[in-house]
Amino acid sequence: MSKPVIATTSLAGCFGCHMSILDIDERILQLIELVEFNKSPVDDIKTFTKPVDIGIIEGGCCNSENVEVLRSFRKNCKILISLGECAIMGGLPAMRNGIPVEECIEEAYLNGPTVQLNKERILPNDDELPMLLDRVYPCHEIVKIDYFLPGCPPRADLIWEALVALITGNPLKLPYEVVKFD
Amino acid sequence: MSELIKFKIDGTECMAESGTYIVEAARQNGIYIPTLCNMPGVKPKGACRICTVRINGRLMTSCTTPVTMGMEIESNTEQINELRKSIVELLFVSGNHFCPACEKSGNCELQALGYYYQMMVPRFPYDFPQKGVDASSPYIIKDQNRCIMCKRCIKAIRDDQGRPLFAFRNRGNHLEVVLDEDLGKQMTPELAEAAMNACPVGSILVKEKGFVQPIGQRKFDHKPIGSDVAV
Ligand code: SF4
Ligand code: SF4
Ligand code: FES
């Protein structure tokens, strides 16, 4: 049997969840034995080149590009995992939820205390730029998500245990200390 | 002293003085029933329903119901745990609980119940309500995003005439627990500390005191809530 294929992405996240994947330390050698990576910042493969078994999503959806990437993950992956608080509930980016987008943009580009160089008062408006959404959405409000691994970032042991359980089909052991929301 | 009576929790024989509230009686017998709004030493109100048990087929709050002779209480059953878990989930989605940025994280009872029931994600949609933060008091910050309206601060923090420093404001969806405009002026550093400790979540914080304990040394980092009770 060929190895299960994994893809990962970071949407509106800080890459902390990906750092936590790397935090499994030397077990990464075991992981490479167990699985093959496809589209992921880990190996820098930019597009899906084959069907994927497990897609791991860091970050929620704050702009149109996030939504597009998330939908392509749903299309190309059999199983999707929301990894971390941002994917699960929007996380810190979702602190803007409840503040109108216009106000957020004006604060960031015009009125913020650290804004000094934008003399012409330009707001980002290039067609190439993704559109900001009205608020930050948890991934499971955009597509179906199969599993959720909380934490900010999720503990490396949680990621490891969950992946091994999924790949081997063995029951998931969850010691108290590995499930945390911070 | 009132008489000792026998009763059962999930089939286990227990004993307590008659008239003891079930939560407390269970605790005396080494059985943990989760609570949020209940506070030892203050008259219980039954506001949060997390302590719900089933007695004679009826769901009751165990913090407000005294044990009686021969009572048979169901507590740790799949159905009741499911109900309690859904209360925790509802509390999470109806406020703005950004745990990674919260000073109470690791010491928060709501979060600890999320761990206790292994809430990986709430089943309900996040509401993201618009709520404010009031930092006008010299001693405390009152963050409405995290208030679960359990009334513990109202009940526990009073001036020397017994008047509460915290109060309800507005109604319905707009209901808030706030520092009372007049009585709140009597806030002292000591009362601020007590208020922070009375609050089960991170809605009352003492100013300039966030994140004092490092991760790994906080109350619920290693042991689940209720571990002090279970035998
Ligand atoms: S009050 Fe508790 S549940 Fe809410 S954000 Fe803070 S730690 Fe999390
Ligand atoms: S501030 Fe804290 S103690 Fe007071 S009602 Fe809100 S959650 Fe309860
Ligand atoms: S603890 Fe009993 S209702 Fe809240």
Side-chain angles (χ1 to χ4, degrees):
Chain A
M1 200 183 82
S2 56
K3 289 182 188 176
V5 183
I6 289 191
T8 77
T9 189
S10 177
L11 308 176
C14 70
F15 263 95
C17 297
H18 273 79
M19 299 312 275
S20 210
I21 297 177
L22 299 181
D23 249 358
I24 61 174
D25 298 330
E26 74 280 4
R27 284 173 291 185
I28 202 137
L29 300 174
Q30 262 170 283
L31 187 63
I32 294 305
E33 291 294 311
L34 281 173
V35 304
E36 170 190 337
F37 274 85
N38 199 257
K39 177 176 160 65
S40 168
V42 173
D43 53 14
D44 212 20
I45 298 181
K46 312 272 192 215
T47 49
F48 289 104
T49 57
K50 53 157 76 174
V52 168
D53 296 292
I54 304 170
I56 299 177
I57 315 287
E58 163 188 327
C61 291
C62 82
N63 64 33
S64 52
E65 196 236 354
N66 298 151
V67 174
E68 217 171 281
V69 173
L70 180 59
R71 288 197 173 133
S72 79
F73 264 71
R74 184 66 277 180
K75 223 192 227 155
N76 289 282
C77 308
K78 277 189 217 136
I79 294 171
L80 275 195
I81 303 177
S82 266
L83 182 67
E85 291 304 300
C86 297
I88 291 175
M89 57 85 66
L92 300 201
M95 281 182 151
R96 79 162 159 96
N97 291 3
I99 303 169
V101 178
E102 204 181 341
E103 246 178 75
C104 291
I105 292 186
E106 283 176 1
E107 179 69 12
Y109 294 98
L110 302 179
N111 309 327
T114 55
V115 181
Q116 281 160 4
L117 298 173
N118 191 3
K119 297 265 180 323
E120 287 137 74
R121 302 176 65 80
I122 300 169
L123 297 178
N125 65 351
D126 196 293
D127 284 346
E128 293 288 315
L129 294 175
M131 287 291 282
L132 270 196
L133 303 182
D134 60 334
R135 65 173 178 88
V136 179
Y137 290 82
C139 291
H140 63 276
E141 289 186 14
I142 307 278
V143 300
K144 177 179 186 294
I145 299 286
D146 303 289
Y147 298 102
F148 300 84
L149 299 176
C152 184
R155 306 298 181 264
D157 286 338
L158 174 63
I159 301 173
W160 174 252
E161 291 297 341
L163 279 181
V164 170
L166 255 184
I167 294 162
T168 60
N170 291 335
L172 177 56
K173 289 178 289 183
L174 281 183
Y176 175 75
E177 270 129 320
V178 305
V179 179
K180 291 282 145 67
F181 304 157
D182 64 3
Chain B
M1 211 182 108
S2 44
E3 58 169 335
L4 272 182
I5 53 160
K6 283 190 182 163
F7 61 99
K8 280 187 185 166
I9 300 180
D10 296 326
T12 306
E13 287 271 8
C14 300
M15 275 198 345
E17 280 179 26
S18 75
T20 313
Y21 291 120
I22 295 172
V23 166
E24 181 49 34
R27 176 175 277 269
Q28 289 166 10
N29 287 273
I31 295 170
Y32 171 65
I33 299 177
T35 57
L36 269 176
C37 67
N38 193 44
M39 245 190 131
V42 188
K43 194 167 186 295
K45 277 272 169 52
C48 74
R49 324 306 284 184
I50 198 80
C51 66
T52 299
V53 292
R54 189 188 288 277
I55 304 161
N56 280 336
R58 281 189 63 201
L59 296 173
M60 329 254 286
T61 48
S62 60
C63 67
T64 56
T65 312
V67 276
T68 54
M69 176 80 93
M71 195 179 240
E72 300 206 4
I73 301 156
E74 286 172 56
S75 173
N76 191 15
T77 67
E78 204 185 317
Q79 193 199 21
I80 292 172
N81 283 330
E82 205 42 50
L83 184 135
R84 292 176 185 157
K85 185 179 184 184
S86 65
I87 293 175
V88 172
E89 292 172 335
L90 282 168
L91 287 171
F92 264 91
V93 299
S94 59
N96 291 310
H97 293 277
F98 298 98
C99 294
C102 178
E103 293 84 342
K104 194 84 168 201
S105 192
N107 294 311
C108 166
E109 292 177 29
L110 174 62
Q111 185 190 58
L113 285 171
Y115 298 160
Y116 189 81
Y117 290 113
Q118 290 214 328
M119 179 188 85
M120 305 306 246
V121 62
R123 279 163 287 183
F124 310 102
Y126 289 94
D127 193 23
F128 295 116
Q130 255 190 299
K131 304 229 172 169
V133 177
D134 177 10
S136 59
S137 154
Y139 303 114
I140 66 157
I141 297 165
K142 181 75 183 70
D143 188 339
Q144 302 303 358
N145 295 288
R146 303 170 184 154
C147 182
I148 58 170
M149 284 181 288
C150 68
K151 303 190 238 182
R152 272 164 61 163
C153 56
I154 302 182
K155 289 188 276 179
I157 308 303
R158 292 166 186 264
D159 67 7
D160 41 22
Q161 290 174 55
R163 295 173 302 181
L165 266 61
F166 290 88
F168 276 118
R169 185 168 69 189
N170 304 331
R171 287 192 173 271
N173 249 349
H174 303 284
L175 187 72
E176 291 183 318
V177 173
V178 295
L179 195 56
D180 187 277
E181 251 178 62
D182 297 318
L183 298 174
K185 296 205 179 83
Q186 302 178 65
M187 185 57 74
T188 61
E190 293 72 35
L191 281 177
E193 188 78 29
M196 179 171 72
N197 294 335
C199 179
V201 291
S203 183
I204 301 176
L205 300 167
V206 170
K207 279 193 172 171
E208 298 176 15
K209 230 201 139 176
F211 306 107
V212 274
Q213 284 160 303
I215 290 178
Q217 292 176 23
R218 303 166 306 178
K219 206 165 164 192
F220 303 116
D221 279 341
H222 302 292
K223 280 195 187 146
I225 190 167
S227 318
D228 54 326
V229 179
V231 275

